Amino acid sequence: MALNLLHIGKSKIKDKITQAKIAAGIFDKKVYSGPWEVQIDLTNMCNNDCIGCWCHSPLLGNLAMAPHVKKKTIPFEIAKKIVDDLAKMGTRYIYFTGGGEPFMHPNTTEMIEYVKKKGLICDMSTNFTLMNKKRIERIVKAGMDHINISLWAGSKESYDATHPNKTGKDFTRLVEMLKHLHYLKKKYKKKKPMIHIYNVISTKNYWDFENMLKTAYEAKVNGIDFTPTDVIPGKTDNLMLNRKQADELIQKIKKSNELMKKFELKYNHKIEFRSKEQFIRRLSNLGIDHGEYDSNIIGSMPCYAGFSFLRILADGNVNSCLKAVRIPIGNIYKDSIKTIWNNKKQNEFRKHTINYDPKNPFFENIGNEHQKGNGCYLCCDNLGMNMAIHGSIKKMNFIKKTAVKFSKHL
């Protein structure tokens, strides 16, 4: 994070300054910049009913998102104002995601174009089922940086099993759209958007692991991610792998390098298997009757989410981390995002998380309201960023730390 700003572009300079200010804030336990990344839920509306979804799974029954909540959507002009304010605060990374499908919002493509015109990094999660050739061409031309495709399948059979309101035909069309995206990137000589397939693994699809890898090669994406399903007690417990299933999958993962080499030769394409060791660790930590996949790592480092991250929900509530839905720190319809970022509730979150104690009762507020105990022990969705920041800080020598501390005056 040292500020060597020679020979790098304006956007990269802004990236370095924000990173350095965040690091300085962590050292001083103060805030000198806005968050690096802000996730924005443009809408709660969704056209899928993914079997393991916390909001729309048909298994949830009365715990599913209420119809009036599903209709929540951030208006286009307000979403643009949020991005404007975040850019002024130093935020560099906007991620469109949500309790719903981002492309259910009528202006998602325009929002992507707007974020890129502001010079920010633009990322998103999508089920990709609403994509067509025209929309794909617009986001490629806009310069979108990255897309996570929530697929959960490697075949028609597993797609059908994990998406009750979809069929194998939807899977086939989705893969064809991914191939078209790759074609357009080649046509316009662009490396972006980088595409990663994201697979949530459950009893409905764990057996399809090899096909999931194969699909990633066929679609010519950049990489693939896996995570075990995060269950709702009493509702989606039957989706959690048992010990035998998890061990079976671990063995397949450990042998995946050989299979991937065969696919590389067959499809003349390489992909990245991201966070492989983290996925194995989570599967290895699988309990008999719980899904606390991250209990063997949470507490081994501070949580830096309070200095680097925010999430804005479709109803306007603002959360300090991805699992802090029960303790919102403000609402964009009442206060500016800058005011919320610096308010008492957010500072309270920073105090608890930077001095992380797993036994602190504060963390019983993290996670879904129907989950008990320390919610951070479940799949911590901020873990990747925390580990990256922690690794970067540990590598700093005295000179780099001095440069970082100076950055707060920029």
Side-chain angles (χ1 to χ4, degrees), residues 54 319 321-328 348-349 352 356 358 360-376 378:
W54 277 25
N319 293 340
C321 78
L322 282 163
K323 290 289 176 69
V325 65
R326 282 188 279 172
I327 48 172
E348 183 75 7
F349 180 88
H352 288 291
Y356 198 95
N360 185 341
F362 177 83
F363 299 113
E364 294 180 9
N365 297 307
I366 303 298
N368 187 283
E369 62 181 318
H370 305 288
Q371 296 170 317
K372 306 299 181 182
N374 185 333
C376 304
L378 309 167

Side-chain angles (χ1 to χ4, degrees), residues 198 227 230 278 281-282 291-295 297-298 303 305 321-323 356 366 374-387:
Y198 189 76
T227 190
D230 198 355
Q278 177 172 292
R281 177 186 58 75
R282 283 176 166 171
E292 294 184 345
Y293 305 107
D294 288 335
S295 62
I297 192 170
I298 295 297
C303 172
C321 78
L322 282 163
K323 290 289 176 69
Y356 198 95
I366 303 298
N374 185 333
C376 304
Y377 284 165
L378 309 167
C379 284
C380 172
D381 295 320
N382 289 92
L383 184 59
M385 179 182 285
N386 279 337
M387 293 177 69

Side-chain angles (χ1 to χ4, degrees), residues 203-238:
T203 54
K204 299 290 186 179
N205 63 0
Y206 79 99
W207 47 268
D208 207 28
F209 173 76
E210 292 95 339
N211 282 328
M212 291 175 185
L213 289 177
K214 181 181 178 182
T215 296
Y217 282 95
E218 287 180 336
K220 299 293 180 72
V221 300
N222 299 97
I224 193 165
D225 298 80
F226 296 88
T227 190
T229 189
D230 198 355
V231 302
I232 302 297
K235 296 295 182 180
T236 59
D237 310 77
N238 66 327

Side-chain angles (χ1 to χ4, degrees), residues 3 6 113 147 215 258 376 381:
L3 293 180
L6 297 176
E113 292 168 339
I147 305 175
T215 296
E258 183 179 345
C376 304
D381 295 320

Side-chain angles (χ1 to χ4, degrees), residues 58-71:
L59 299 178
L60 294 177
N62 64 325
L63 299 186
M65 185 179 283
H68 73 279
V69 179
K70 287 185 180 182
K71 296 178 181 179

